[in-house]
Amino acid sequence: MFIDEFEDIGAEVYKFAFEKDEAKKAELSGKFNSETLPRHLGYLEALLKENNGGKGYFVGDSLTWAGLGIANVYDLLGGTDAPFAKFPLLLALAKRVRENPKVAEYLKTRAQTPF
């Protein structure tokens, strides 16, 4: 369920990220930012709230694949807080995951790629 949401977000980003027609790219990007992304992040935030009021992780009380997934979405969306402005619990989770010592070490040493 969580991973499917992350995959859906990624698929929508790729639609406009690789679009060559600038007008079409702007149209797709605008729709993504105004409709698609808020719908997905709203759903994910609601699911996160169901576990410990959203103060922990998606599942249980430790890092899982789902937590890594939201950290990946954070990176996919440019590594900035802005896309998460209306979703503070998701933003906090993404940052908590990125601050995990092993994840933080990986982020420091990984190869830089566009996605």
Side-chain angles (χ1 to χ4, degrees), residues 21-43:
D21 181 305
E22 290 300 320
K24 179 85 169 167
K25 184 177 206 164
E27 176 187 338
L28 292 170
S29 176
K31 183 177 179 184
F32 174 78
N33 287 310
S34 67
E35 298 174 25
T36 307
L37 185 61
R39 183 181 69 245
H40 285 291
L41 294 183
Y43 177 66

PDB file of all heavy atoms in Angstrom, residues 21-43:
ATOM      1  N   ASP A  21       8.350  18.899 -24.677  1.00  0.00           N
ATOM      2  CA  ASP A  21       7.510  20.047 -25.008  1.00  0.00           C
ATOM      3  C   ASP A  21       7.309  20.874 -23.728  1.00  0.00           C
ATOM      4  O   ASP A  21       6.664  20.420 -22.782  1.00  0.00           O
ATOM      5  CB  ASP A  21       6.170  19.553 -25.556  1.00  0.00           C
ATOM      6  CG  ASP A  21       5.236  20.664 -25.941  1.00  0.00           C
ATOM      7  OD1 ASP A  21       4.953  21.536 -25.089  1.00  0.00           O
ATOM      8  OD2 ASP A  21       4.754  20.661 -27.088  1.00  0.00           O
ATOM      9  N   GLU A  22       7.846  22.082 -23.712  1.00  0.00           N
ATOM     10  CA  GLU A  22       7.826  22.910 -22.505  1.00  0.00           C
ATOM     11  C   GLU A  22       6.408  23.271 -22.053  1.00  0.00           C
ATOM     12  O   GLU A  22       6.135  23.345 -20.857  1.00  0.00           O
ATOM     13  CB  GLU A  22       8.677  24.160 -22.695  1.00  0.00           C
ATOM     14  CG  GLU A  22      10.165  23.874 -22.751  1.00  0.00           C
ATOM     15  CD  GLU A  22      10.721  23.205 -21.502  1.00  0.00           C
ATOM     16  OE1 GLU A  22      10.320  23.564 -20.380  1.00  0.00           O
ATOM     17  OE2 GLU A  22      11.570  22.297 -21.658  1.00  0.00           O
ATOM     18  N   ALA A  23       5.514  23.504 -22.996  1.00  0.00           N
ATOM     19  CA  ALA A  23       4.133  23.831 -22.635  1.00  0.00           C
ATOM     20  C   ALA A  23       3.459  22.632 -21.973  1.00  0.00           C
ATOM     21  O   ALA A  23       2.776  22.774 -20.949  1.00  0.00           O
ATOM     22  CB  ALA A  23       3.353  24.273 -23.869  1.00  0.00           C
ATOM     23  N   LYS A  24       3.655  21.474 -22.553  1.00  0.00           N
ATOM     24  CA  LYS A  24       3.085  20.245 -21.985  1.00  0.00           C
ATOM     25  C   LYS A  24       3.710  19.957 -20.623  1.00  0.00           C
ATOM     26  O   LYS A  24       3.023  19.562 -19.681  1.00  0.00           O
ATOM     27  CB  LYS A  24       3.335  19.083 -22.959  1.00  0.00           C
ATOM     28  CG  LYS A  24       2.828  17.751 -22.488  1.00  0.00           C
ATOM     29  CD  LYS A  24       1.385  17.578 -22.819  1.00  0.00           C
ATOM     30  CE  LYS A  24       1.018  16.128 -22.563  1.00  0.00           C
ATOM     31  NZ  LYS A  24      -0.397  15.920 -22.558  1.00  0.00           N
ATOM     32  N   LYS A  25       5.019  20.167 -20.519  1.00  0.00           N
ATOM     33  CA  LYS A  25       5.730  19.959 -19.261  1.00  0.00           C
ATOM     34  C   LYS A  25       5.145  20.852 -18.164  1.00  0.00           C
ATOM     35  O   LYS A  25       4.889  20.393 -17.049  1.00  0.00           O
ATOM     36  CB  LYS A  25       7.216  20.251 -19.453  1.00  0.00           C
ATOM     37  CG  LYS A  25       8.065  19.990 -18.255  1.00  0.00           C
ATOM     38  CD  LYS A  25       9.523  20.257 -18.595  1.00  0.00           C
ATOM     39  CE  LYS A  25      10.430  19.454 -17.705  1.00  0.00           C
ATOM     40  NZ  LYS A  25      11.793  19.379 -18.203  1.00  0.00           N
ATOM     41  N   ALA A  26       4.927  22.105 -18.480  1.00  0.00           N
ATOM     42  CA  ALA A  26       4.357  23.046 -17.509  1.00  0.00           C
ATOM     43  C   ALA A  26       2.943  22.630 -17.100  1.00  0.00           C
ATOM     44  O   ALA A  26       2.583  22.708 -15.920  1.00  0.00           O
ATOM     45  CB  ALA A  26       4.351  24.456 -18.085  1.00  0.00           C
ATOM     46  N   GLU A  27       2.163  22.174 -18.070  1.00  0.00           N
ATOM     47  CA  GLU A  27       0.802  21.722 -17.781  1.00  0.00           C
ATOM     48  C   GLU A  27       0.816  20.509 -16.851  1.00  0.00           C
ATOM     49  O   GLU A  27       0.093  20.471 -15.848  1.00  0.00           O
ATOM     50  CB  GLU A  27       0.087  21.372 -19.085  1.00  0.00           C
ATOM     51  CG  GLU A  27      -1.300  20.811 -18.909  1.00  0.00           C
ATOM     52  CD  GLU A  27      -1.911  20.311 -20.216  1.00  0.00           C
ATOM     53  OE1 GLU A  27      -1.473  20.754 -21.295  1.00  0.00           O
ATOM     54  OE2 GLU A  27      -2.812  19.458 -20.139  1.00  0.00           O
ATOM     55  N   LEU A  28       1.637  19.513 -17.177  1.00  0.00           N
ATOM     56  CA  LEU A  28       1.718  18.300 -16.360  1.00  0.00           C
ATOM     57  C   LEU A  28       2.255  18.597 -14.962  1.00  0.00           C
ATOM     58  O   LEU A  28       1.740  18.082 -13.965  1.00  0.00           O
ATOM     59  CB  LEU A  28       2.595  17.254 -17.048  1.00  0.00           C
ATOM     60  CG  LEU A  28       2.047  16.641 -18.331  1.00  0.00           C
ATOM     61  CD1 LEU A  28       3.124  15.811 -19.031  1.00  0.00           C
ATOM     62  CD2 LEU A  28       0.818  15.805 -18.046  1.00  0.00           C
ATOM     63  N   SER A  29       3.264  19.423 -14.890  1.00  0.00           N
ATOM     64  CA  SER A  29       3.856  19.789 -13.611  1.00  0.00           C
ATOM     65  C   SER A  29       2.852  20.547 -12.746  1.00  0.00           C
ATOM     66  O   SER A  29       2.735  20.292 -11.540  1.00  0.00           O
ATOM     67  CB  SER A  29       5.107  20.646 -13.839  1.00  0.00           C
ATOM     68  OG  SER A  29       5.634  21.090 -12.625  1.00  0.00           O
ATOM     69  N   GLY A  30       2.127  21.467 -13.357  1.00  0.00           N
ATOM     70  CA  GLY A  30       1.115  22.229 -12.624  1.00  0.00           C
ATOM     71  C   GLY A  30       0.031  21.346 -12.048  1.00  0.00           C
ATOM     72  O   GLY A  30      -0.348  21.497 -10.878  1.00  0.00           O
ATOM     73  N   LYS A  31      -0.463  20.422 -12.855  1.00  0.00           N
ATOM     74  CA  LYS A  31      -1.501  19.497 -12.383  1.00  0.00           C
ATOM     75  C   LYS A  31      -0.956  18.603 -11.278  1.00  0.00           C
ATOM     76  O   LYS A  31      -1.634  18.356 -10.279  1.00  0.00           O
ATOM     77  CB  LYS A  31      -2.030  18.644 -13.531  1.00  0.00           C
ATOM     78  CG  LYS A  31      -3.142  17.722 -13.102  1.00  0.00           C
ATOM     79  CD  LYS A  31      -3.729  16.925 -14.244  1.00  0.00           C
ATOM     80  CE  LYS A  31      -4.823  16.022 -13.709  1.00  0.00           C
ATOM     81  NZ  LYS A  31      -5.385  15.162 -14.713  1.00  0.00           N
ATOM     82  N   PHE A  32       0.281  18.148 -11.423  1.00  0.00           N
ATOM     83  CA  PHE A  32       0.899  17.309 -10.405  1.00  0.00           C
ATOM     84  C   PHE A  32       0.960  18.059  -9.075  1.00  0.00           C
ATOM     85  O   PHE A  32       0.563  17.525  -8.038  1.00  0.00           O
ATOM     86  CB  PHE A  32       2.311  16.898 -10.836  1.00  0.00           C
ATOM     87  CG  PHE A  32       3.070  16.160  -9.784  1.00  0.00           C
ATOM     88  CD1 PHE A  32       2.821  14.821  -9.544  1.00  0.00           C
ATOM     89  CD2 PHE A  32       4.025  16.815  -9.013  1.00  0.00           C
ATOM     90  CE1 PHE A  32       3.518  14.136  -8.550  1.00  0.00           C
ATOM     91  CE2 PHE A  32       4.725  16.138  -8.027  1.00  0.00           C
ATOM     92  CZ  PHE A  32       4.470  14.796  -7.794  1.00  0.00           C
ATOM     93  N   ASN A  33       1.445  19.293  -9.100  1.00  0.00           N
ATOM     94  CA  ASN A  33       1.621  20.057  -7.864  1.00  0.00           C
ATOM     95  C   ASN A  33       0.316  20.509  -7.231  1.00  0.00           C
ATOM     96  O   ASN A  33       0.236  20.622  -6.007  1.00  0.00           O
ATOM     97  CB  ASN A  33       2.535  21.261  -8.121  1.00  0.00           C
ATOM     98  CG  ASN A  33       3.971  20.829  -8.300  1.00  0.00           C
ATOM     99  OD1 ASN A  33       4.513  20.087  -7.506  1.00  0.00           O
ATOM    100  ND2 ASN A  33       4.584  21.283  -9.379  1.00  0.00           N
ATOM    101  N   SER A  34      -0.697  20.749  -8.045  1.00  0.00           N
ATOM    102  CA  SER A  34      -1.956  21.253  -7.497  1.00  0.00           C
ATOM    103  C   SER A  34      -2.971  20.167  -7.157  1.00  0.00           C
ATOM    104  O   SER A  34      -3.809  20.371  -6.275  1.00  0.00           O
ATOM    105  CB  SER A  34      -2.587  22.257  -8.459  1.00  0.00           C
ATOM    106  OG  SER A  34      -2.994  21.625  -9.654  1.00  0.00           O
ATOM    107  N   GLU A  35      -2.882  19.023  -7.839  1.00  0.00           N
ATOM    108  CA  GLU A  35      -3.891  17.980  -7.639  1.00  0.00           C
ATOM    109  C   GLU A  35      -3.309  16.643  -7.194  1.00  0.00           C
ATOM    110  O   GLU A  35      -3.693  16.101  -6.158  1.00  0.00           O
ATOM    111  CB  GLU A  35      -4.687  17.762  -8.936  1.00  0.00           C
ATOM    112  CG  GLU A  35      -5.464  18.965  -9.407  1.00  0.00           C
ATOM    113  CD  GLU A  35      -6.114  18.742 -10.757  1.00  0.00           C
ATOM    114  OE1 GLU A  35      -6.386  17.575 -11.123  1.00  0.00           O
ATOM    115  OE2 GLU A  35      -6.352  19.744 -11.472  1.00  0.00           O
ATOM    116  N   THR A  36      -2.412  16.117  -8.002  1.00  0.00           N
ATOM    117  CA  THR A  36      -1.928  14.748  -7.790  1.00  0.00           C
ATOM    118  C   THR A  36      -1.125  14.600  -6.509  1.00  0.00           C
ATOM    119  O   THR A  36      -1.413  13.727  -5.687  1.00  0.00           O
ATOM    120  CB  THR A  36      -1.079  14.298  -8.996  1.00  0.00           C
ATOM    121  OG1 THR A  36      -1.844  14.489 -10.189  1.00  0.00           O
ATOM    122  CG2 THR A  36      -0.683  12.836  -8.873  1.00  0.00           C
ATOM    123  N   LEU A  37      -0.118  15.443  -6.335  1.00  0.00           N
ATOM    124  CA  LEU A  37       0.741  15.321  -5.154  1.00  0.00           C
ATOM    125  C   LEU A  37      -0.030  15.540  -3.853  1.00  0.00           C
ATOM    126  O   LEU A  37       0.097  14.726  -2.932  1.00  0.00           O
ATOM    127  CB  LEU A  37       1.933  16.268  -5.253  1.00  0.00           C
ATOM    128  CG  LEU A  37       2.951  16.131  -4.117  1.00  0.00           C
ATOM    129  CD1 LEU A  37       3.562  14.724  -4.084  1.00  0.00           C
ATOM    130  CD2 LEU A  37       4.033  17.183  -4.261  1.00  0.00           C
ATOM    131  N   PRO A  38      -0.860  16.591  -3.738  1.00  0.00           N
ATOM    132  CA  PRO A  38      -1.606  16.753  -2.491  1.00  0.00           C
ATOM    133  C   PRO A  38      -2.512  15.563  -2.162  1.00  0.00           C
ATOM    134  O   PRO A  38      -2.666  15.200  -0.998  1.00  0.00           O
ATOM    135  CB  PRO A  38      -2.423  18.026  -2.714  1.00  0.00           C
ATOM    136  CG  PRO A  38      -1.658  18.786  -3.740  1.00  0.00           C
ATOM    137  CD  PRO A  38      -1.044  17.736  -4.639  1.00  0.00           C
ATOM    138  N   ARG A  39      -3.089  14.956  -3.196  1.00  0.00           N
ATOM    139  CA  ARG A  39      -3.950  13.787  -2.963  1.00  0.00           C
ATOM    140  C   ARG A  39      -3.138  12.636  -2.377  1.00  0.00           C
ATOM    141  O   ARG A  39      -3.526  12.029  -1.376  1.00  0.00           O
ATOM    142  CB  ARG A  39      -4.631  13.361  -4.269  1.00  0.00           C
ATOM    143  CG  ARG A  39      -5.596  12.194  -4.082  1.00  0.00           C
ATOM    144  CD  ARG A  39      -6.258  11.759  -5.379  1.00  0.00           C
ATOM    145  NE  ARG A  39      -5.295  11.145  -6.284  1.00  0.00           N
ATOM    146  CZ  ARG A  39      -4.941  11.638  -7.466  1.00  0.00           C
ATOM    147  NH1 ARG A  39      -5.464  12.751  -7.919  1.00  0.00           N
ATOM    148  NH2 ARG A  39      -4.062  10.998  -8.217  1.00  0.00           N
ATOM    149  N   HIS A  40      -1.983  12.352  -2.972  1.00  0.00           N
ATOM    150  CA  HIS A  40      -1.147  11.252  -2.481  1.00  0.00           C
ATOM    151  C   HIS A  40      -0.582  11.551  -1.098  1.00  0.00           C
ATOM    152  O   HIS A  40      -0.620  10.692  -0.205  1.00  0.00           O
ATOM    153  CB  HIS A  40       0.007  10.971  -3.448  1.00  0.00           C
ATOM    154  CG  HIS A  40      -0.397  10.266  -4.695  1.00  0.00           C
ATOM    155  ND1 HIS A  40      -0.830   8.962  -4.713  1.00  0.00           N
ATOM    156  CD2 HIS A  40      -0.439  10.690  -5.981  1.00  0.00           C
ATOM    157  CE1 HIS A  40      -1.113   8.603  -5.956  1.00  0.00           C
ATOM    158  NE2 HIS A  40      -0.881   9.639  -6.747  1.00  0.00           N
ATOM    159  N   LEU A  41      -0.055  12.744  -0.903  1.00  0.00           N
ATOM    160  CA  LEU A  41       0.535  13.076   0.398  1.00  0.00           C
ATOM    161  C   LEU A  41      -0.526  13.143   1.489  1.00  0.00           C
ATOM    162  O   LEU A  41      -0.268  12.744   2.636  1.00  0.00           O
ATOM    163  CB  LEU A  41       1.318  14.387   0.320  1.00  0.00           C
ATOM    164  CG  LEU A  41       2.563  14.372  -0.563  1.00  0.00           C
ATOM    165  CD1 LEU A  41       3.289  15.714  -0.483  1.00  0.00           C
ATOM    166  CD2 LEU A  41       3.505  13.228  -0.220  1.00  0.00           C
ATOM    167  N   GLY A  42      -1.720  13.612   1.151  1.00  0.00           N
ATOM    168  CA  GLY A  42      -2.814  13.623   2.125  1.00  0.00           C
ATOM    169  C   GLY A  42      -3.180  12.223   2.575  1.00  0.00           C
ATOM    170  O   GLY A  42      -3.401  11.976   3.774  1.00  0.00           O
ATOM    171  N   TYR A  43      -3.254  11.318   1.639  1.00  0.00           N
ATOM    172  CA  TYR A  43      -3.551   9.920   1.957  1.00  0.00           C
ATOM    173  C   TYR A  43      -2.458   9.317   2.844  1.00  0.00           C
ATOM    174  O   TYR A  43      -2.739   8.689   3.859  1.00  0.00           O
ATOM    175  CB  TYR A  43      -3.703   9.126   0.660  1.00  0.00           C
ATOM    176  CG  TYR A  43      -3.935   7.651   0.858  1.00  0.00           C
ATOM    177  CD1 TYR A  43      -5.103   7.184   1.459  1.00  0.00           C
ATOM    178  CD2 TYR A  43      -2.990   6.718   0.441  1.00  0.00           C
ATOM    179  CE1 TYR A  43      -5.322   5.825   1.643  1.00  0.00           C
ATOM    180  CE2 TYR A  43      -3.202   5.363   0.615  1.00  0.00           C
ATOM    181  CZ  TYR A  43      -4.369   4.921   1.221  1.00  0.00           C
ATOM    182  OH  TYR A  43      -4.577   3.574   1.404  1.00  0.00           O
TER     183      TYR A  43
END
